[in-house]
């Protein structure tokens, strides 16, 4: 079977972003970029399924600027077989991304589409669910364990009170939670090999989709700063402050 | 047009977050309908009917909704969506699973984790792990929002509203429930607790979480954890507080042995009073803590427990 893994180029998770002075967006110029950590987990899971003999081919796809090639190459160095870059310079909303991915799914016909559960920039947590809806597939979000069983995929999901297990009919959409796996590091030989793997570039226009904006960003502001606190010298002082100053205990 | 709120139900009845979603919806000043879908949800429907502002409760009671799986529930919501201008759910695991699916089927955007409602079409939501707040205006005729419940107050009770039973069933064979393993706890639910005590990597082991538990018992607090503590296997992952775990805003948050990574702060920095206990004076958690104590937690926590 074929596994499709959509990945996103995002600002590195360890970078603290700042809001632009004109409050139109966050400042992204010259920041270190990386594969969204949840997408990396999805790639790792696909590679493990292939290593177990469940999958023949892993295709990674990214919708974004030309520079997103770097993230596709990284995913190929981790074990994906080929990449598709749907070049698009402006940021797209989750629904538009889902529509593009639906078009890629129609063309590639994967049995499993493995997403990260959310991107750490937009924090939307929507694209997998939307893609599943558009493709008419079942969905298993926030996966912490994925097992293929015949024409079904059995997924343990992280829910609010614990873990829930579902069985979804293939083709299916699964979104990865943090604890699904520990992504491997790409070795130098694999990084070199990834350079020769096929990377197809198309544009959103190639799909003849009707994409329209559904929302307008009015402003992007910095959150209110917390007023600076104090250091206390002892446990006794802490208890005193909590009882008499903050009055929370 | 009215507003539809999708209620969360479990075996105990109505989920505790529902009253806060109703609280958020009240700001929109329209008629509020509550959809209670599940199996054996009679008492949840009665609880929902008593939430102030709710004018009608729609009940869909069928085995196809038993576990509130996204596929049948999304089809049900789409079927009744015509008469609603807004559809709201809590930004919980269930709400996040369901509402984007509904949005795609209706061909509209969905706004995640809304923390403020500016007007009927304009909402505020955090992005980049809470390091920026985006104000967005919806251009769609239907607005679908998941609500960050820690940012809104629960509504009070009222005289029960009308309960209307829907005959709809939306069985499908896309997904099947296999089982569930829920963590049983005597402590208050993490999202709703007045006091939260979280432990991090500094605890060193799962056994040492007993220190946190004793303090939590004394304060009637819920227990949380950093991602490091969860990944190290100290506690179950549903206790994780952060961008990828639960978002909490209790009156008092005590961070013990937690450095304060961006990811963790995203889940707790709206707490009213933050206390940090850490032996590293440079830990970033001290920059947002109202009260910081530089100390060895293995001495400070037992002493704190004794003094409180």
């Amino acid at each position: 079977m074929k596994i499709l893994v959509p990945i996103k180029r995002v600002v590195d998770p360890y970078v603290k972003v700042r809001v632009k002075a004109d409050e139109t967006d966050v400042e992204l110029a010259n920041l270190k970029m990386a594969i969204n950590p949840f997408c990396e987990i999805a790639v790792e899971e696909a590679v493990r399924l292939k290593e177990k003999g469940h999958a023949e081919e892993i295709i990674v796809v990214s919708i974004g600027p030309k520079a997103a090639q770097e993230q596709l190459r990284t995913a190929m160095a981790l074990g994906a077989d080929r990449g598709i870059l749907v070049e698009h310079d402006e940021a797209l909303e989750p629904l538009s991304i889902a529509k593009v991915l639906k078009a890629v799914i129609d063309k590639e016909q994967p049995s499993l589409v493995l997403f990260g559960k959310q991107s750490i920039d937009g924090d939307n947590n929507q694209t997998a669910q939307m893609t599943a809806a558009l493709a008419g597939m079942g969905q298993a979000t926030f996966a912490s364990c994925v097992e293929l069983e015949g024409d079904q995929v059995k997924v343990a999901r992280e829910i609010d009170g614990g873990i829930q297990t579902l069985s979804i009919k293939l083709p299916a959409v699964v979104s990865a939670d943090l604890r699904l796996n520990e992504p491997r590091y790409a070795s130098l030989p694999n990084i070199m090999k990834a350079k020769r793997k096929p990377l197809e570039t198309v544009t959103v226009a190639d799909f003849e989709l009707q994409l329209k904006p559904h929302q307008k960003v009015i402003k992007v502001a910095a959150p209110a700063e917390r007023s600076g606190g104090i250091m206390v010298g002892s446990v006794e002082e802490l208890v005193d402050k909590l009882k008499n100053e903050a009055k929370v205990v | 047009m009215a507003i539809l709120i999708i209620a969360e139900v479990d075996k105990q009845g109505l989920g505790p977050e529902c009253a806060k979603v109703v609280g958020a919806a009240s700001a929109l000043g329209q008629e509020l309908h509550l959809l209670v879908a599940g199996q054996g949800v009679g008492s949840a429907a009665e609880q929902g009917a008593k939430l102030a502002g709710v004018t009608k409760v729609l009940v869909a009671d069928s085995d196809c909704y038993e576990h509130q799986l996204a596929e049948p529930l999304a089809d049900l919501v789409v079927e009744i969506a015509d008469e609603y201008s807004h559809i709201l759910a809590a930004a919980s695991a269930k709400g996040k699973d369901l509402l984007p699916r509904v949005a795609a089927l209706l061909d509209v955007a969905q706004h995640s984790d809304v923390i403020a409602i500016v007007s009927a079409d304009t909402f505020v939501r955090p992005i980049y792990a809470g390091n920026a707040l985006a104000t967005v205006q919806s251009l769609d005729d239907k607005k679908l929002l998941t609500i960050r419940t820690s940012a809104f107050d629960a509504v009070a009770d009222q005289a029960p509203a009308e309960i209307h039973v829907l005959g709809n069933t939306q069985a499908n064979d896309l997904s099947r429930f296999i089982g569930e393993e829920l963590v049983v706890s005597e402590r208050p639910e993490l999202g709703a607790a007045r006091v939260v005590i979280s432990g991090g990597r500094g605890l060193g082991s799962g056994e040492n979480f007993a220190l946190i538990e004793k303090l939590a018992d004394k304060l009637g607090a819920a227990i949380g954890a950093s991602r490091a503590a969860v990944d190290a296997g100290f506690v179950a992952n549903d206790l994780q507080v952060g961008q990828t775990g639960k978002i909490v805003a209790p009156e008092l948050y005590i961070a013990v042995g937690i450095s304060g990574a961006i990811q963790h702060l995203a889940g707790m920095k709206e707490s009213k009073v933050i206390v940090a206990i850490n032996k590293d004076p440079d830990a970033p958690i001290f920059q947002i803590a109202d009260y910081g104590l530089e100390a060895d937690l293995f001495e400070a926590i037992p002493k704190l427990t004794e003094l409180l």
Side-chain angles (χ1 to χ4, degrees):
Chain A
M1 66 182 256
K2 239 190 222 186
I3 302 179
L4 183 73
V5 187
I7 63 170
K8 187 175 186 185
R9 173 184 167 90
V10 297
V11 65
D12 183 279
Y14 297 102
V15 171
K16 188 167 174 12
V17 296
R18 300 202 183 280
V19 170
K20 285 183 181 174
D22 64 1
E23 296 199 327
T24 54
D25 201 351
V26 293
E27 187 59 75
L28 291 179
N30 304 318
L31 289 186
K32 190 179 167 207
M33 303 297 278
I35 294 192
N36 179 44
F38 291 99
C39 300
E40 204 176 353
I41 292 167
V43 171
E44 174 68 29
E45 194 63 19
V47 174
R48 290 185 189 190
L49 289 170
K50 189 181 170 191
E51 286 168 349
K52 282 187 207 153
H54 289 308
E56 285 83 47
E57 190 184 29
I58 301 166
I59 308 155
V60 280
V61 56
S62 192
I63 302 154
K66 200 175 198 80
Q69 282 185 1
E70 294 164 29
Q71 280 65 45
L72 288 166
R73 289 286 176 208
T74 307
M76 289 191 270
L78 295 172
D81 297 294
R82 64 184 166 97
I84 302 170
L85 173 63
V86 185
E87 219 182 300
H88 194 80
D89 285 327
E90 289 94 60
L92 285 174
E93 297 172 23
L95 183 56
S96 299
I97 293 174
K99 286 178 182 176
V100 175
L101 290 174
K102 158 73 165 64
V104 174
I105 288 168
D106 286 346
K107 180 164 172 277
E108 298 288 346
Q109 299 287 320
S111 302
L112 184 64
V113 190
L114 253 170
F115 283 83
K117 77 164 178 180
Q118 77 188 59
S119 64
I120 56 153
D121 49 3
D123 281 336
N124 284 300
N125 195 332
Q126 297 176 4
T127 311
Q129 296 89 313
M130 288 179 158
T131 306
L134 297 178
M137 294 182 191
Q139 67 188 47
T141 48
F142 329 143
S144 59
C145 182
V146 175
E147 285 170 52
L148 286 163
E149 293 179 343
D151 63 346
Q152 309 268 327
V153 57
K154 196 169 124 188
V155 180
R157 308 178 53 228
E158 295 197 6
I159 58 168
D160 288 332
I163 300 283
Q164 177 189 65
T165 307
L166 301 180
S167 177
I168 315 282
K169 201 161 129 183
L170 295 176
V173 166
V174 171
S175 78
D177 214 316
L178 276 177
R179 267 161 296 276
L180 181 56
N181 60 49
E182 185 93 21
R184 68 194 66 189
Y185 289 99
S187 66
L188 189 60
N190 284 341
I191 293 171
M192 300 310 289
K193 244 189 270 174
K195 292 193 170 129
R196 293 190 301 273
K197 288 184 178 176
L199 174 55
E200 179 192 355
T201 301
V202 293
T203 68
V204 168
D206 294 338
F207 293 110
E208 293 174 9
L209 291 167
Q210 303 292 323
L211 301 182
K212 57 166 189 180
H214 293 267
Q215 53 182 296
K216 195 168 97 187
V217 176
I218 297 186
K219 76 169 180 178
V220 175
E225 292 281 329
R226 285 191 78 93
S227 55
I230 56 158
M231 293 298 288
V232 295
S234 67
V235 177
E236 287 81 2
E237 192 185 342
L238 177 63
V239 171
D240 174 63
K241 295 277 188 198
L242 290 179
K243 279 190 174 153
N244 303 318
E245 195 174 280
K247 295 188 170 53
V248 282
V249 292
Chain B
M1 284 208 284
I3 294 167
L4 183 68
I5 297 161
I6 302 165
E8 247 169 68
V9 291
D10 58 23
K11 293 194 180 69
Q12 281 78 47
L14 198 67
E17 306 299 282
C18 192
K20 294 182 179 175
V21 182
V22 173
S26 306
L28 294 160
Q30 295 169 61
E31 217 177 288
L32 307 181
H33 296 181
L34 193 67
L35 173 65
V36 179
Q39 190 187 31
V41 290
S43 67
E46 279 166 29
Q47 285 170 274
K50 284 188 210 148
L51 295 175
V54 172
T55 52
K56 194 201 256 184
V57 176
L58 307 171
V59 178
D61 205 326
S62 158
D63 56 0
C64 69
Y65 306 126
E66 187 182 355
H67 300 287
Q68 299 197 302
L69 299 186
E71 295 85 354
L73 210 48
D75 289 346
L76 170 65
V77 176
V78 168
E79 199 183 306
I80 62 172
D82 267 358
E83 53 178 301
Y84 297 103
S85 61
H86 294 71
I87 302 176
L88 276 64
S92 58
K94 275 183 184 163
K96 288 174 179 175
D97 187 41
L98 172 69
L99 217 56
R101 190 170 178 105
V102 175
L105 294 174
L106 293 171
D107 197 25
V108 298
Q110 191 243 293
H111 307 276
S112 296
D113 251 323
V114 168
I115 58 165
I117 293 174
V118 179
S119 69
D121 67 355
T122 306
F123 319 106
V124 181
R125 56 175 303 265
I127 53 175
Y128 289 91
N131 286 303
L133 301 179
T135 304
V136 293
Q137 183 179 25
S138 164
L139 307 175
D140 291 317
D141 54 353
K142 273 188 210 314
K143 283 79 168 145
L144 271 59
L145 321 177
T146 59
I147 297 297
R148 178 172 290 189
T149 48
S150 64
F152 295 91
D153 293 325
V155 292
D157 282 357
Q158 64 172 13
E162 167 204 355
I163 293 180
H164 176 80
V165 177
L166 298 172
N168 318 40
T169 50
Q170 294 284 356
N172 75 71
D173 62 351
L174 289 174
S175 64
R176 196 159 48 89
F177 175 86
I178 307 265
E180 218 161 50
E181 271 177 64
L182 299 180
V183 176
V184 185
S185 172
E186 299 286 304
R187 296 201 173 78
E189 205 260 320
L190 187 52
R194 199 186 69 83
V195 180
V196 173
I197 306 173
S198 282
R201 201 197 303 272
L203 265 300
S205 74
E207 290 74 55
N208 291 338
F209 252 82
L211 288 175
I212 301 276
E213 284 168 18
K214 274 190 204 133
L215 180 56
D217 288 343
K218 198 89 179 241
L219 289 169
I223 290 181
S226 70
R227 189 187 158 198
V230 172
D231 283 351
F234 299 173
V235 289
N237 54 32
D238 60 315
L239 296 187
Q240 187 185 322
V241 172
Q243 184 186 21
T244 58
K246 292 230 174 57
I247 314 277
V248 300
E251 280 180 39
L252 173 61
Y253 188 89
I254 306 180
V256 181
I258 292 177
S259 65
I262 295 175
Q263 201 279 338
H264 186 75
L265 302 186
M268 46 65 79
K269 66 180 182 186
E270 301 306 319
S271 306
K272 289 202 179 68
V273 175
I274 297 174
V275 171
I277 300 173
N278 205 303
K279 63 179 175 190
D280 174 10
D282 298 323
I285 191 83
F286 285 130
Q287 289 163 23
I288 66 149
D290 298 280
Y291 302 107
L293 175 63
E294 183 196 333
D296 183 345
L297 69 93
F298 295 104
E299 286 163 22
I301 298 302
K303 196 160 181 193
L304 187 57
T305 310
E306 187 194 312
L307 289 174
L308 283 171

